[in-house]
Amino acid sequence: MNTRTEAGPEPLTRATAPRREPAPALRARLRPWLPTAITAAALLCLPYSTLRLPGLFDGPLNSPATLQLLATCLVFAGLATSYDLLYGRLGLLSFGHALYFAAGAYAAALLMHHLRLPLAWSALIAVAAGTALAVLLGAVSLRVSGIALAMVTLAFAQAGSILIARDPGRATGGEEGLSLDTALVPGALIGVVNTVNLYWIALGYAAVALAVVWWLAASPIGRVWNGIRANEQRVSVLGLNPYPFKLIGFVVGAALASLGGVVFLLVAGGVTPAVSTAEFTLTLLVMVSLGGAGTRWGPVLGGVLYTYVDHRLVQLSGAPAFDALPPVLRAPLSQPLFILGLLFVAAVFFFPGGLAALPGRVRARWSRGS
Amino acid sequence: MSTFVLLVVTGLGLGALYFLIASGLSLIFGLMDVLNFAHGAFLSIGAYGTWWAAAHLPGAGGDGPGFLLAVAFGVAAGTLAATAVELGVIRPLYGRHREQILVTVGLSLATPALLQAVWGADPLPFPRPELVSGTLPVLGAAIPRDRFLLIVAAAAVLLALKAFGSRTRYGLIVRAGVQDRSMVTALGIDVRTAFTLVFAIGGAAAALAGALGGLYFGVVTPTQGVSLLIFAFIVVVIGGTTSVTGCAVASVAVGLVQQFANYYTVSGLGDIAVVAVLAAVLLTRGGGLVVNAGRTA
């Protein structure tokens, strides 16, 4: 490795400082934000549309069932983005992200249930608790890196998962989980007619997660993250201690995950121990790599797509058309995780870089062909 | 005194189970830098293979030599699965550690789902041979016999792995490859065959752990592999070194801590005590335990 020759001051400025170019015209500057604006506008208008998309959704877009599914998709889009902060932006392979999601959801549910705190206070304290937990555990876990970090975060998350499943003092509800205490939730968030409000909350969460991650990734901290992901040793040779930068990323990602937990509690109307398992973090990893790690839209795309396909496969496995299949096919096809797992293996082979890299690959092939 | 003996021997039995899983895991991790999430799948395949063979394979059964044949079938199934996984999905991604981890993640999600699709999610009763049912008195403590079987099997695997490492040419390549893979490659030795071999050996040990874990728990479930795998990960981190002996020591330590904490505090706290030990090791040794910490995925 030739870190020695590259450690001089010039490459540092070249690598970290933005290139100085003549100020582009306003139109050119707004251009990268066009997809964001279009997506935001479409998502904002969606609950007012009675459009039917047969095959995609059962009812019109503004029916409660569709909005509920879309809200779940948005929660996972935000959560996948928060996981990508660690995996895609910092290059940290954490297998314990479920812990902070579950911490947010369970803490909010418990505070409302036992202390009768109103929703806003419960949410605030739950996110603060999840963040504090991340400071503590992140400080310990980040003493190792690479695969050891993956194992350590997994171990901590497993301790949390065991704690939740054992149901200490009958607090967490064991296997059944906890349901949302409707007495303390504002009336506007309860009932089928108000599903649209849950949709707004989920959309708001996804927007917050995206804004925080995009903003941090573009900030000076984000440039150091980029360096850590590319070559951590080089960052430390340049005189920067990577540890606090990694800890910031870890804690921000976990804080967003615990906020996601609170939103999930509202959207799903409760929480079960399934969200605390290692398998749950693995599905987040699948979402992020399916969509494209470290890209602007990849995690969102992966989160929405995975959640949607998972939901539809569960529906399909109960469909009457399924009974006509021979048992050899029917049994595996009734397990969404089997199909999603195999799809993921295929995706790693055939779509490296995920869906976000797909347009570029198609374009490259197109230009090579012509 | 009898309680103490009971806890020590059962702790050793649990440690033996962890060693069977963790030894293959740490070899694969040390040699290939791959965190093999599919290892739990090999364990489940071994467990279900043994369970199936005991009921369906001609000549095999739940007792005596028939049970040995059933275990051999389960181990063979696990070994075959491991070899197929290495050749089919790990090897084509040679040198791309992150992708290699990702495909094992996909397999670790798909395999329990497939097992559940075929045999259901409910625990299935596992055959228990006459020889290892009941208890054996040791220093006034009544110890379940299957614990001894686990300890003997783990000791045999430990000795076999050490003999393989010190007596055979491939063992030498694997040992050297774990220490410094690039040096071995630079000497013109193809480490890929060693990869396949290590994967197959790891799969065999995990499948054996699955069969013996079935005895230990009395049942098999699709998710058993995943929960055991996580403790094996902890063993690998605490053991740190990529030597088989270090792995054995860490397995025994984790098994004993878990048993003692479970007995003297609330049941279930033992699992959390193991994680606390892991945190303590990381804090006091500053992560220096893990030889490969510098190498990232």
Side-chain angles (χ1 to χ4, degrees):
Chain A
M1 204 187 306
N2 53 351
T3 29
R4 200 168 232 273
T5 52
E6 288 179 51
E10 289 90 352
L12 169 64
T13 42
R14 196 176 58 204
T16 54
R19 255 177 285 160
R20 293 200 183 277
E21 283 167 2
L26 187 67
R27 234 178 76 186
R29 248 189 309 170
L30 288 180
R31 224 187 124 118
W33 293 102
L34 202 66
T36 314
I38 293 174
T39 314
L43 286 172
L44 284 171
C45 297
L46 199 135
Y48 301 108
S49 157
T50 52
L51 188 70
R52 279 177 182 276
L53 297 170
L56 268 184
F57 298 108
D58 289 334
L61 278 183
N62 67 348
S63 68
T66 309
L67 284 176
Q68 167 88 24
L69 172 58
L70 286 172
T72 313
C73 287
L74 285 169
V75 171
F76 284 108
L79 186 63
T81 306
S82 82
Y83 183 70
D84 188 51
L85 179 59
L86 302 178
Y87 178 69
R89 309 276 176 181
L90 257 158
L92 296 179
L93 196 57
S94 156
F95 281 113
H97 211 58
L99 180 64
Y100 308 104
F101 184 75
Y106 269 98
L110 285 173
L111 286 168
M112 287 159 75
H113 191 73
H114 289 292
L115 298 181
R116 317 301 298 170
L117 283 179
L119 174 65
W121 279 107
S122 302
L124 205 67
I125 298 173
V127 173
T131 314
L133 189 67
V135 173
L136 195 73
L137 297 186
V140 175
S141 326
L142 289 170
R143 293 173 72 97
V144 292
S145 57
I147 289 178
L149 174 74
M151 296 190 190
V152 173
T153 48
L154 182 71
F156 283 134
Q158 191 60 18
S161 183
I162 292 167
L163 203 63
I164 288 171
R166 298 275 167 166
D167 197 6
R170 303 202 169 276
T172 62
E175 287 297 310
E176 270 112 65
L178 294 170
S179 59
L180 186 62
D181 205 333
T182 44
L184 292 159
V185 180
L189 297 176
I190 300 166
V192 179
V193 253
N194 291 320
T195 313
V196 62
N197 294 328
L198 293 176
Y199 170 84
W200 292 123
I201 290 180
L203 182 61
Y205 167 64
V208 166
L210 275 177
V212 169
V213 172
W214 288 357
W215 176 68
L216 279 178
S219 73
I221 294 177
R223 284 198 284 276
V224 180
W225 285 350
N226 225 337
I228 291 173
R229 186 186 57 180
N231 190 341
E232 188 176 337
Q233 216 170 8
R234 192 179 299 175
V235 172
S236 35
V237 167
L238 290 176
L240 278 174
N241 183 5
Y243 183 80
F245 290 95
K246 291 201 282 187
L247 191 58
I248 290 172
F250 193 92
V251 170
V252 172
L256 287 173
S258 20
L259 180 62
V262 177
V263 177
F264 178 80
L265 177 72
L266 289 173
V267 170
V271 56
T272 59
V275 299
S276 70
T277 56
E279 206 171 62
F280 188 78
T281 303
L282 292 184
T283 56
L284 289 182
L285 178 67
V286 172
M287 286 176 196
V288 168
S289 9
L290 207 61
T295 60
R296 183 169 274 189
W297 288 103
V300 179
L301 217 60
V304 168
L305 204 70
Y306 185 98
T307 314
Y308 176 79
V309 171
D310 186 36
H311 183 87
R312 294 300 285 192
L313 284 174
V314 171
Q315 272 186 338
L316 265 181
S317 61
F322 237 63
D323 294 335
L325 288 171
V328 183
L329 279 177
R330 194 178 58 215
L333 289 182
S334 65
Q335 295 287 337
L337 265 182
F338 175 70
I339 299 176
L340 287 167
L342 286 194
L343 270 182
F344 179 58
V345 173
V348 170
F349 271 96
F350 301 114
F351 304 112
L355 292 170
L358 211 54
R361 281 160 60 90
V362 170
R363 224 175 291 142
R365 176 157 301 182
W366 190 259
S367 59
R368 221 184 313 143
S370 59
Chain B
M1 181 62 193
S2 66
T3 318
F4 183 79
V5 174
L6 178 70
L7 286 174
V8 167
V9 180
T10 50
L12 284 175
L14 193 59
L17 195 57
Y18 290 152
F19 171 73
L20 288 176
I21 313 165
S23 56
L25 207 59
S26 107
L27 274 179
I28 294 168
F29 166 49
L31 185 64
M32 304 166 70
D33 266 348
V34 169
L35 185 56
N36 180 21
F37 269 90
H39 214 67
F42 303 151
L43 185 141
S44 302
I45 290 171
Y48 274 84
T50 309
W51 171 82
W52 182 86
H56 296 93
L57 197 73
D63 197 13
F67 186 72
L68 280 183
L69 186 63
V71 171
F73 179 82
V75 171
T79 315
L80 210 66
T83 315
V85 164
E86 206 281 332
L87 291 176
V89 296
I90 304 282
R91 180 171 284 206
L93 299 169
Y94 180 73
R96 290 155 63 188
H97 304 304
R98 194 159 274 220
E99 276 87 353
Q100 287 177 331
I101 294 171
L102 291 182
V103 290
T104 64
V105 165
L107 291 175
S108 80
L109 292 175
T111 313
L114 184 65
L115 291 173
Q116 189 175 332
V118 179
W119 285 295
D122 296 330
L124 300 167
F126 201 78
R128 181 177 287 273
E130 196 67 37
L131 189 68
V132 291
S133 47
T135 57
L136 206 68
V138 175
L139 295 172
I143 315 243
R145 290 178 185 225
D146 56 356
R147 306 297 189 272
F148 293 108
L149 180 65
L150 274 166
I151 295 169
V152 170
V157 168
L158 174 63
L159 290 178
L161 281 176
K162 286 202 81 75
F164 168 77
S166 57
R167 298 285 162 83
T168 63
R169 183 181 146 74
Y170 270 113
L172 189 69
I173 295 175
V174 170
R175 256 188 324 138
V178 168
Q179 292 291 324
D180 190 344
R181 190 180 53 199
S182 47
M183 178 61 85
V184 174
T185 319
L187 288 173
I189 297 165
D190 186 14
V191 278
R192 293 185 194 207
T193 324
F195 287 176
T196 315
L197 201 62
V198 160
F199 236 78
I201 291 173
L208 184 62
L212 297 178
L215 280 182
Y216 185 92
F217 296 109
V219 290
V220 282
T221 64
T223 50
Q224 220 165 40
V226 182
S227 28
L228 281 172
L229 182 67
I230 288 164
F231 286 107
F233 281 155
I234 296 178
V235 164
V236 173
V237 177
I238 292 181
T241 60
T242 36
S243 86
V244 180
T245 320
C247 187
V249 172
S251 305
V252 168
V254 167
L256 287 176
V257 165
Q258 201 170 358
Q259 286 292 329
F260 273 89
N262 266 340
Y263 183 81
Y264 286 110
T265 62
V266 192
S267 170
L269 215 64
D271 305 356
I272 292 162
V274 170
V275 179
V277 170
L278 170 74
V281 165
L282 284 178
L283 281 173
T284 51
R285 302 286 300 264
L289 276 178
V290 180
V291 171
N292 279 353
R295 278 200 252 157
T296 50

mmCIF file of all heavy atoms in Angstrom, chain A residues 154-155 158-159 162 166, chain B residues 14 18-19 21-22 25 225-238 250-251 254-255 258 268 270-275:
data_model
loop_
_atom_site.group_PDB
_atom_site.id
_atom_site.type_symbol
_atom_site.label_atom_id
_atom_site.label_comp_id
_atom_site.label_asym_id
_atom_site.label_seq_id
_atom_site.Cartn_x
_atom_site.Cartn_y
_atom_site.Cartn_z
ATOM 1 N N LEU A 154 -24.217 -7.862 16.685
ATOM 2 C CA LEU A 154 -25.189 -8.953 16.686
ATOM 3 C C LEU A 154 -25.416 -9.470 18.095
ATOM 4 O O LEU A 154 -26.550 -9.706 18.519
ATOM 5 C CB LEU A 154 -24.693 -10.075 15.774
ATOM 6 C CG LEU A 154 -25.609 -11.276 15.634
ATOM 7 C CD1 LEU A 154 -26.825 -10.892 14.837
ATOM 8 C CD2 LEU A 154 -24.897 -12.420 14.968
ATOM 9 N N ALA A 155 -24.315 -9.621 18.851
ATOM 10 C CA ALA A 155 -24.424 -10.153 20.209
ATOM 11 C C ALA A 155 -25.231 -9.210 21.092
ATOM 12 O O ALA A 155 -26.114 -9.646 21.840
ATOM 13 C CB ALA A 155 -23.035 -10.366 20.791
ATOM 14 N N GLN A 158 -28.786 -9.392 20.220
ATOM 15 C CA GLN A 158 -29.359 -10.656 20.661
ATOM 16 C C GLN A 158 -29.724 -10.604 22.134
ATOM 17 O O GLN A 158 -30.760 -11.128 22.539
ATOM 18 C CB GLN A 158 -28.362 -11.786 20.379
ATOM 19 C CG GLN A 158 -28.927 -13.176 20.537
ATOM 20 C CD GLN A 158 -30.083 -13.435 19.610
ATOM 21 O OE1 GLN A 158 -30.272 -12.720 18.621
ATOM 22 N NE2 GLN A 158 -30.894 -14.416 19.927
ATOM 23 N N ALA A 159 -28.858 -9.927 22.927
ATOM 24 C CA ALA A 159 -29.179 -9.776 24.352
ATOM 25 C C ALA A 159 -30.510 -9.035 24.497
ATOM 26 O O ALA A 159 -31.358 -9.419 25.311
ATOM 27 C CB ALA A 159 -28.058 -9.029 25.060
ATOM 28 N N ILE A 162 -33.374 -11.368 23.514
ATOM 29 C CA ILE A 162 -33.657 -12.364 24.556
ATOM 30 C C ILE A 162 -34.445 -11.711 25.686
ATOM 31 O O ILE A 162 -35.443 -12.245 26.178
ATOM 32 C CB ILE A 162 -32.343 -12.967 25.093
ATOM 33 C CG1 ILE A 162 -31.675 -13.823 24.022
ATOM 34 C CG2 ILE A 162 -32.587 -13.788 26.337
ATOM 35 C CD1 ILE A 162 -30.251 -14.189 24.332
ATOM 36 N N ARG A 166 -38.088 -12.920 26.873
ATOM 37 C CA ARG A 166 -38.273 -13.533 28.201
ATOM 38 C C ARG A 166 -39.366 -12.846 29.009
ATOM 39 O O ARG A 166 -39.770 -13.352 30.046
ATOM 40 C CB ARG A 166 -36.974 -13.474 29.007
ATOM 41 C CG ARG A 166 -35.834 -14.223 28.411
ATOM 42 C CD ARG A 166 -35.864 -15.692 28.796
ATOM 43 N NE ARG A 166 -34.914 -16.370 27.924
ATOM 44 C CZ ARG A 166 -34.472 -17.588 28.121
ATOM 45 N NH1 ARG A 166 -34.878 -18.272 29.145
ATOM 46 N NH2 ARG A 166 -33.623 -18.133 27.282
ATOM 47 N N LEU B 14 -22.517 -27.861 26.975
ATOM 48 C CA LEU B 14 -22.972 -26.735 26.153
ATOM 49 C C LEU B 14 -21.779 -26.137 25.391
ATOM 50 O O LEU B 14 -21.881 -25.825 24.197
ATOM 51 C CB LEU B 14 -23.612 -25.683 27.049
ATOM 52 C CG LEU B 14 -24.415 -24.591 26.361
ATOM 53 C CD1 LEU B 14 -25.554 -25.197 25.568
ATOM 54 C CD2 LEU B 14 -24.961 -23.613 27.404
ATOM 55 N N TYR B 18 -21.090 -25.521 21.394
ATOM 56 C CA TYR B 18 -20.622 -24.265 20.803
ATOM 57 C C TYR B 18 -19.329 -24.489 20.021
ATOM 58 O O TYR B 18 -19.130 -23.899 18.968
ATOM 59 C CB TYR B 18 -20.378 -23.207 21.885
ATOM 60 C CG TYR B 18 -21.647 -22.706 22.532
ATOM 61 C CD1 TYR B 18 -21.643 -22.226 23.833
ATOM 62 C CD2 TYR B 18 -22.842 -22.704 21.832
ATOM 63 C CE1 TYR B 18 -22.796 -21.767 24.432
ATOM 64 C CE2 TYR B 18 -24.004 -22.254 22.423
ATOM 65 C CZ TYR B 18 -23.971 -21.790 23.721
ATOM 66 O OH TYR B 18 -25.122 -21.340 24.307
ATOM 67 N N PHE B 19 -18.445 -25.335 20.561
ATOM 68 C CA PHE B 19 -17.171 -25.552 19.879
ATOM 69 C C PHE B 19 -17.395 -26.167 18.504
ATOM 70 O O PHE B 19 -16.746 -25.776 17.529
ATOM 71 C CB PHE B 19 -16.255 -26.458 20.718
ATOM 72 C CG PHE B 19 -15.020 -26.879 19.965
ATOM 73 C CD1 PHE B 19 -14.008 -25.969 19.735
ATOM 74 C CD2 PHE B 19 -14.899 -28.159 19.445
ATOM 75 C CE1 PHE B 19 -12.887 -26.332 19.010
ATOM 76 C CE2 PHE B 19 -13.790 -28.521 18.722
ATOM 77 C CZ PHE B 19 -12.787 -27.612 18.501
ATOM 78 N N ILE B 21 -19.832 -25.791 16.528
ATOM 79 C CA ILE B 21 -20.287 -24.781 15.564
ATOM 80 C C ILE B 21 -19.185 -23.773 15.291
ATOM 81 O O ILE B 21 -18.914 -23.402 14.147
ATOM 82 C CB ILE B 21 -21.540 -24.052 16.091
ATOM 83 C CG1 ILE B 21 -22.548 -25.057 16.632
ATOM 84 C CG2 ILE B 21 -22.183 -23.220 15.008
ATOM 85 C CD1 ILE B 21 -23.616 -24.427 17.475
ATOM 86 N N ALA B 22 -18.540 -23.315 16.373
ATOM 87 C CA ALA B 22 -17.626 -22.185 16.250
ATOM 88 C C ALA B 22 -16.319 -22.558 15.554
ATOM 89 O O ALA B 22 -15.706 -21.699 14.909
ATOM 90 C CB ALA B 22 -17.324 -21.607 17.631
ATOM 91 N N LEU B 25 -16.713 -22.106 11.933
ATOM 92 C CA LEU B 25 -16.954 -20.679 11.711
ATOM 93 C C LEU B 25 -15.652 -19.889 11.790
ATOM 94 O O LEU B 25 -15.381 -19.020 10.950
ATOM 95 C CB LEU B 25 -17.914 -20.205 12.800
ATOM 96 C CG LEU B 25 -18.807 -19.031 12.528
ATOM 97 C CD1 LEU B 25 -19.680 -19.314 11.335
ATOM 98 C CD2 LEU B 25 -19.663 -18.784 13.759
ATOM 99 N N GLY B 225 -30.900 -23.396 14.487
ATOM 100 C CA GLY B 225 -29.568 -23.105 13.962
ATOM 101 C C GLY B 225 -29.178 -21.660 14.173
ATOM 102 O O GLY B 225 -28.060 -21.362 14.616
ATOM 103 N N VAL B 226 -30.105 -20.748 13.912
ATOM 104 C CA VAL B 226 -29.792 -19.321 13.998
ATOM 105 C C VAL B 226 -29.457 -18.930 15.426
ATOM 106 O O VAL B 226 -28.485 -18.211 15.685
ATOM 107 C CB VAL B 226 -30.969 -18.484 13.466
ATOM 108 C CG1 VAL B 226 -30.638 -17.012 13.513
ATOM 109 C CG2 VAL B 226 -31.305 -18.889 12.049
ATOM 110 N N SER B 227 -30.251 -19.431 16.404
ATOM 111 C CA SER B 227 -30.001 -18.993 17.779
ATOM 112 C C SER B 227 -28.678 -19.549 18.294
ATOM 113 O O SER B 227 -27.970 -18.872 19.050
ATOM 114 C CB SER B 227 -31.161 -19.371 18.696
ATOM 115 O OG SER B 227 -31.824 -20.507 18.245
ATOM 116 N N LEU B 228 -28.337 -20.796 17.891
ATOM 117 C CA LEU B 228 -27.046 -21.337 18.316
ATOM 118 C C LEU B 228 -25.901 -20.606 17.631
ATOM 119 O O LEU B 228 -24.839 -20.387 18.207
ATOM 120 C CB LEU B 228 -26.966 -22.831 17.996
ATOM 121 C CG LEU B 228 -27.688 -23.740 18.980
ATOM 122 C CD1 LEU B 228 -27.703 -25.166 18.454
ATOM 123 C CD2 LEU B 228 -27.013 -23.709 20.338
ATOM 124 N N LEU B 229 -26.131 -20.211 16.374
ATOM 125 C CA LEU B 229 -25.084 -19.547 15.596
ATOM 126 C C LEU B 229 -24.614 -18.271 16.281
ATOM 127 O O LEU B 229 -23.423 -17.945 16.277
ATOM 128 C CB LEU B 229 -25.623 -19.230 14.203
ATOM 129 C CG LEU B 229 -24.647 -18.565 13.238
ATOM 130 C CD1 LEU B 229 -23.538 -19.530 12.886
ATOM 131 C CD2 LEU B 229 -25.355 -18.107 11.986
ATOM 132 N N ILE B 230 -25.568 -17.550 16.901
ATOM 133 C CA ILE B 230 -25.200 -16.269 17.503
ATOM 134 C C ILE B 230 -24.228 -16.481 18.669
ATOM 135 O O ILE B 230 -23.267 -15.727 18.824
ATOM 136 C CB ILE B 230 -26.474 -15.522 17.927
ATOM 137 C CG1 ILE B 230 -27.172 -15.041 16.654
ATOM 138 C CG2 ILE B 230 -26.159 -14.349 18.826
ATOM 139 C CD1 ILE B 230 -28.566 -14.632 16.812
ATOM 140 N N PHE B 231 -24.452 -17.550 19.457
ATOM 141 C CA PHE B 231 -23.490 -17.829 20.525
ATOM 142 C C PHE B 231 -22.144 -18.261 19.963
ATOM 143 O O PHE B 231 -21.096 -17.957 20.518
ATOM 144 C CB PHE B 231 -24.058 -18.864 21.491
ATOM 145 C CG PHE B 231 -25.120 -18.298 22.366
ATOM 146 C CD1 PHE B 231 -26.443 -18.621 22.177
ATOM 147 C CD2 PHE B 231 -24.794 -17.376 23.345
ATOM 148 C CE1 PHE B 231 -27.431 -18.050 22.961
ATOM 149 C CE2 PHE B 231 -25.779 -16.799 24.135
ATOM 150 C CZ PHE B 231 -27.100 -17.144 23.938
ATOM 151 N N ALA B 232 -22.184 -18.956 18.835
ATOM 152 C CA ALA B 232 -20.927 -19.341 18.197
ATOM 153 C C ALA B 232 -20.168 -18.099 17.734
ATOM 154 O O ALA B 232 -18.936 -18.036 17.833
ATOM 155 C CB ALA B 232 -21.201 -20.274 17.029
ATOM 156 N N PHE B 233 -20.886 -17.089 17.252
ATOM 157 C CA PHE B 233 -20.238 -15.822 16.880
ATOM 158 C C PHE B 233 -19.541 -15.221 18.093
ATOM 159 O O PHE B 233 -18.403 -14.761 18.016
ATOM 160 C CB PHE B 233 -21.273 -14.820 16.358
ATOM 161 C CG PHE B 233 -21.699 -15.057 14.943
ATOM 162 C CD1 PHE B 233 -22.931 -14.613 14.498
ATOM 163 C CD2 PHE B 233 -20.858 -15.692 14.048
ATOM 164 C CE1 PHE B 233 -23.335 -14.818 13.193
ATOM 165 C CE2 PHE B 233 -21.253 -15.898 12.742
ATOM 166 C CZ PHE B 233 -22.490 -15.465 12.316
ATOM 167 N N ILE B 234 -20.257 -15.214 19.231
ATOM 168 C CA ILE B 234 -19.682 -14.640 20.447
ATOM 169 C C ILE B 234 -18.417 -15.405 20.826
ATOM 170 O O ILE B 234 -17.393 -14.818 21.197
ATOM 171 C CB ILE B 234 -20.722 -14.675 21.592
ATOM 172 C CG1 ILE B 234 -21.905 -13.776 21.229
ATOM 173 C CG2 ILE B 234 -20.095 -14.233 22.899
ATOM 174 C CD1 ILE B 234 -23.011 -13.776 22.247
ATOM 175 N N VAL B 235 -18.469 -16.746 20.699
ATOM 176 C CA VAL B 235 -17.296 -17.565 21.010
ATOM 177 C C VAL B 235 -16.130 -17.156 20.116
ATOM 178 O O VAL B 235 -14.995 -16.990 20.585
ATOM 179 C CB VAL B 235 -17.623 -19.063 20.813
ATOM 180 C CG1 VAL B 235 -16.347 -19.883 20.745
ATOM 181 C CG2 VAL B 235 -18.516 -19.550 21.920
ATOM 182 N N VAL B 236 -16.396 -16.950 18.840
ATOM 183 C CA VAL B 236 -15.316 -16.618 17.912
ATOM 184 C C VAL B 236 -14.693 -15.278 18.277
ATOM 185 O O VAL B 236 -13.467 -15.112 18.244
ATOM 186 C CB VAL B 236 -15.829 -16.615 16.456
ATOM 187 C CG1 VAL B 236 -14.771 -16.106 15.505
ATOM 188 C CG2 VAL B 236 -16.247 -18.012 16.049
ATOM 189 N N VAL B 237 -15.523 -14.309 18.675
ATOM 190 C CA VAL B 237 -14.972 -12.996 19.036
ATOM 191 C C VAL B 237 -14.172 -13.096 20.325
ATOM 192 O O VAL B 237 -13.076 -12.541 20.434
ATOM 193 C CB VAL B 237 -16.095 -11.942 19.171
ATOM 194 C CG1 VAL B 237 -15.512 -10.619 19.606
ATOM 195 C CG2 VAL B 237 -16.814 -11.769 17.860
ATOM 196 N N ILE B 238 -14.718 -13.799 21.343
ATOM 197 C CA ILE B 238 -13.996 -13.915 22.610
ATOM 198 C C ILE B 238 -12.722 -14.718 22.416
ATOM 199 O O ILE B 238 -11.656 -14.357 22.909
ATOM 200 C CB ILE B 238 -14.896 -14.562 23.693
ATOM 201 C CG1 ILE B 238 -16.034 -13.614 24.048
ATOM 202 C CG2 ILE B 238 -14.090 -14.887 24.935
ATOM 203 C CD1 ILE B 238 -16.968 -14.139 25.114
ATOM 204 N N ALA B 250 -12.505 -20.691 24.501
ATOM 205 C CA ALA B 250 -13.594 -19.712 24.551
ATOM 206 C C ALA B 250 -14.948 -20.406 24.641
ATOM 207 O O ALA B 250 -15.836 -19.952 25.367
ATOM 208 C CB ALA B 250 -13.536 -18.798 23.333
ATOM 209 N N SER B 251 -15.119 -21.522 23.901
ATOM 210 C CA SER B 251 -16.387 -22.259 23.951
ATOM 211 C C SER B 251 -16.689 -22.723 25.360
ATOM 212 O O SER B 251 -17.813 -22.567 25.859
ATOM 213 C CB SER B 251 -16.336 -23.491 23.046
ATOM 214 O OG SER B 251 -15.986 -23.147 21.758
ATOM 215 N N VAL B 254 -17.602 -19.769 27.621
ATOM 216 C CA VAL B 254 -18.965 -19.263 27.365
ATOM 217 C C VAL B 254 -20.006 -20.240 27.909
ATOM 218 O O VAL B 254 -20.973 -19.838 28.572
ATOM 219 C CB VAL B 254 -19.171 -19.013 25.853
ATOM 220 C CG1 VAL B 254 -20.647 -18.804 25.540
ATOM 221 C CG2 VAL B 254 -18.381 -17.801 25.414
ATOM 222 N N GLY B 255 -19.798 -21.546 27.665
ATOM 223 C CA GLY B 255 -20.742 -22.548 28.158
ATOM 224 C C GLY B 255 -20.854 -22.519 29.670
ATOM 225 O O GLY B 255 -21.962 -22.557 30.230
ATOM 226 N N GLN B 258 -22.600 -19.306 30.990
ATOM 227 C CA GLN B 258 -24.031 -19.352 30.725
ATOM 228 C C GLN B 258 -24.745 -20.250 31.739
ATOM 229 O O GLN B 258 -25.777 -19.877 32.299
ATOM 230 C CB GLN B 258 -24.253 -19.858 29.312
ATOM 231 C CG GLN B 258 -25.591 -19.485 28.749
ATOM 232 C CD GLN B 258 -25.684 -19.790 27.272
ATOM 233 O OE1 GLN B 258 -24.727 -20.254 26.665
ATOM 234 N NE2 GLN B 258 -26.822 -19.532 26.696
ATOM 235 N N GLY B 268 -32.305 -17.344 31.913
ATOM 236 C CA GLY B 268 -32.348 -16.438 30.763
ATOM 237 C C GLY B 268 -31.307 -15.340 30.905
ATOM 238 O O GLY B 268 -30.828 -14.795 29.917
ATOM 239 N N GLY B 270 -28.392 -15.894 31.864
ATOM 240 C CA GLY B 270 -27.118 -16.476 31.443
ATOM 241 C C GLY B 270 -26.742 -16.029 30.042
ATOM 242 O O GLY B 270 -25.578 -15.723 29.767
ATOM 243 N N ASP B 271 -27.747 -15.950 29.158
ATOM 244 C CA ASP B 271 -27.488 -15.528 27.787
ATOM 245 C C ASP B 271 -26.966 -14.098 27.767
ATOM 246 O O ASP B 271 -26.068 -13.744 27.009
ATOM 247 C CB ASP B 271 -28.777 -15.608 26.958
ATOM 248 C CG ASP B 271 -29.403 -16.984 27.013
ATOM 249 O OD1 ASP B 271 -28.773 -17.866 27.634
ATOM 250 O OD2 ASP B 271 -30.489 -17.176 26.472
ATOM 251 N N ILE B 272 -27.550 -13.268 28.662
ATOM 252 C CA ILE B 272 -27.147 -11.876 28.703
ATOM 253 C C ILE B 272 -25.780 -11.756 29.386
ATOM 254 O O ILE B 272 -24.964 -10.907 29.018
ATOM 255 C CB ILE B 272 -28.240 -11.041 29.395
ATOM 256 C CG1 ILE B 272 -29.460 -11.031 28.461
ATOM 257 C CG2 ILE B 272 -27.798 -9.633 29.677
ATOM 258 C CD1 ILE B 272 -30.732 -10.658 29.097
ATOM 259 N N ALA B 273 -25.511 -12.649 30.366
ATOM 260 C CA ALA B 273 -24.204 -12.635 31.027
ATOM 261 C C ALA B 273 -23.100 -12.891 30.008
ATOM 262 O O ALA B 273 -22.019 -12.297 30.083
ATOM 263 C CB ALA B 273 -24.169 -13.700 32.127
ATOM 264 N N VAL B 274 -23.372 -13.771 29.036
ATOM 265 C CA VAL B 274 -22.382 -14.071 28.003
ATOM 266 C C VAL B 274 -22.056 -12.816 27.202
ATOM 267 O O VAL B 274 -20.887 -12.523 26.914
ATOM 268 C CB VAL B 274 -22.904 -15.190 27.077
ATOM 269 C CG1 VAL B 274 -22.013 -15.356 25.878
ATOM 270 C CG2 VAL B 274 -23.009 -16.485 27.839
ATOM 271 N N VAL B 275 -23.095 -12.032 26.896
ATOM 272 C CA VAL B 275 -22.875 -10.787 26.156
ATOM 273 C C VAL B 275 -22.080 -9.804 27.017
ATOM 274 O O VAL B 275 -21.207 -9.078 26.518
ATOM 275 C CB VAL B 275 -24.213 -10.178 25.699
ATOM 276 C CG1 VAL B 275 -23.986 -8.876 24.961
ATOM 277 C CG2 VAL B 275 -24.951 -11.149 24.812
#
